[in-house]
Structures are given as C-alpha cells and as structure tokens.
Amino acid sequence: NAGRMMFEISVFIENFMKRNKLRDFTDQLIDAVALFKQGNVPHYEHILVDEFQDVNAPQKELIELLKPDNLFCVGDPRQSIYGWRGSDISFILDFDGKKVIPLAKNYRSSQQIVDLCNECIKPMGMIDLEASFTHNEKITINKFKTGTQELAYIAKLIQKSPFPHDEIFILARTNNKLISCAQYL
C-alpha cells in the first residue's frame, strides 16, 4: 500500500544518508545555528530571504543570529504552504521590518481564482489581490458530510478520467486518506 511504501522509502533514505555520512539542508541548518550560538557569527551587511512566509523556527533563529545591517524579506502569507513541515506564518504576519511594501497583483491566477482566495482569507485582514487576467473557468467547491463520501467522489472522478490511472497524482494532507481512496479504485 502507498502509506507503507512511503514509510519504507523514508527509512531507506535516512539509513542510506547515515551509512554514507551524507547530510541534508536541515542538518546544515541545525549545525550552523549551533555554531553561531557559540559566538562564531559572521557579519553580513545585507541578507535577502525569499519565501519568508515559509520560514520555520530554526531558519528564523539563524536570521536573528546573523543580525544583518539590512534585512530584506520577500513573501506572501497567502502562499504559506509548509506548516506541515514546521513553517510559522506568524513570522511574516508579525514581521517587524522598518518598511513593508504589500504587493497586490497576482500574475499567475485568473480573477475568478483570486476572488475566491480573497474571500477565503478575508479573516486574515490582508489587502485583496487583483489578477492580471480573467478566464472563463468554472470553480466548484464540494462539501461532503463524511470522508467516505469525499473519497468515493474522488475515486469516481479518477475512474471517469481520460488519463491512465498510473498517471494521476493525488495530494492529500494525510496518508490514511490516500489509503482509504485506493479501496474505491
């Protein structure tokens, strides 16, 4: 099953990295923070942080330890997608920079999608975005009383799809949703 396969792949990668003395970005980040906490902090006059909406606590700590003379952060709280891996949207929402320049133009999505997004995040109190183009697309929002009904609906869409099933990718918040969906196919 898909969940078991993902678990086995993760364990394999972790063991492979340990055996071969390999490191990933998180390893580097944790070691850099530990080193800088010992007082070995280089000085940078300028630092640019892109995708600031997806910064996590260790990354924020690294920025604070570096204490650049000029910190320039770019991000959009509407695009924060990495909460599941530890990013904290409050870092950008509570940004204490001297000057904040909000950008209100979306160049990727149509006005219909932007309007829907504006409505969904209205409680966040941000300025509304505007799109650079319109398109005659239909947006639907489906509500289901149970997860089972939702899974059956998704499976039905897959079955009707003109694409081969092995070319369809489903992104879900949790693996148990994917495992449950497989029983309908």
Side-chain angles (χ1 to χ4, degrees):
N1 81 29
R4 183 80 179 140
M5 181 178 72
M6 291 302 297
F7 174 77
E8 289 173 2
I9 290 170
S10 297
V11 170
F12 172 81
I13 290 170
E14 184 177 349
N15 291 334
F16 180 85
M17 289 184 68
K18 283 180 186 175
R19 245 188 347 269
N20 293 288
K21 297 182 172 114
L22 299 173
R23 303 165 49 70
D24 64 15
F25 178 74
T26 302
D27 298 325
Q28 299 291 82
L29 178 64
I30 291 168
D31 288 349
V33 168
L35 177 67
F36 294 164
K37 281 184 172 180
Q38 295 173 10
N40 304 316
V41 182
H43 177 262
Y44 295 99
E45 189 173 329
H46 302 277
I47 291 182
L48 164 67
V49 181
D50 195 12
E51 303 295 347
F52 194 72
Q53 75 275 2
D54 290 322
V55 168
N56 61 29
Q59 291 167 329
K60 179 85 160 64
E61 185 176 16
L62 176 64
I63 295 164
E64 290 168 352
L65 286 167
L66 290 171
K67 291 185 238 170
D69 299 333
N70 301 286
L71 176 63
F72 185 80
C73 297
V74 178
D76 182 351
R78 295 170 191 86
Q79 296 183 31
S80 180
I81 60 171
Y82 290 109
W84 58 271
R85 74 165 196 205
S87 73
D88 187 342
I89 195 171
S90 71
F91 295 148
I92 193 169
L93 292 175
D94 301 334
F95 185 71
D96 58 358
K98 292 180 182 165
K99 187 171 185 179
V100 175
I101 303 168
L103 302 176
K105 189 91 163 182
N106 179 303
Y107 294 95
R108 294 181 182 159
S109 302
S110 69
Q111 191 64 53
Q112 294 88 331
I113 291 173
V114 169
D115 287 344
L116 178 63
C117 292
N118 286 336
E119 189 60 34
C120 290
I121 62 171
K122 191 72 73 188
M124 293 177 79
M126 292 186 274
I127 61 170
D128 282 349
L129 287 178
E130 61 180 67
S132 60
F133 65 94
T134 59
H135 189 271
N136 292 330
E137 65 210 321
K138 181 181 175 188
I139 298 174
T140 60
I141 298 175
N142 299 302
K143 292 183 180 182
F144 302 93
K145 292 182 180 180
T146 68
T148 302
Q149 289 176 344
E150 180 181 7
L151 294 172
Y153 176 79
I154 293 168
K156 187 173 160 184
L157 289 177
I158 292 169
Q159 289 168 343
K160 289 182 176 180
S161 172
F163 300 103
H165 292 176
D166 62 353
E167 292 183 16
I168 296 174
F169 180 83
I170 300 171
L171 179 63
R173 288 190 183 272
T174 58
N175 282 336
N176 68 337
K177 295 288 184 201
L178 294 175
I179 293 165
S180 298
C181 186
Q183 73 185 358
Y184 289 94
L185 294 176

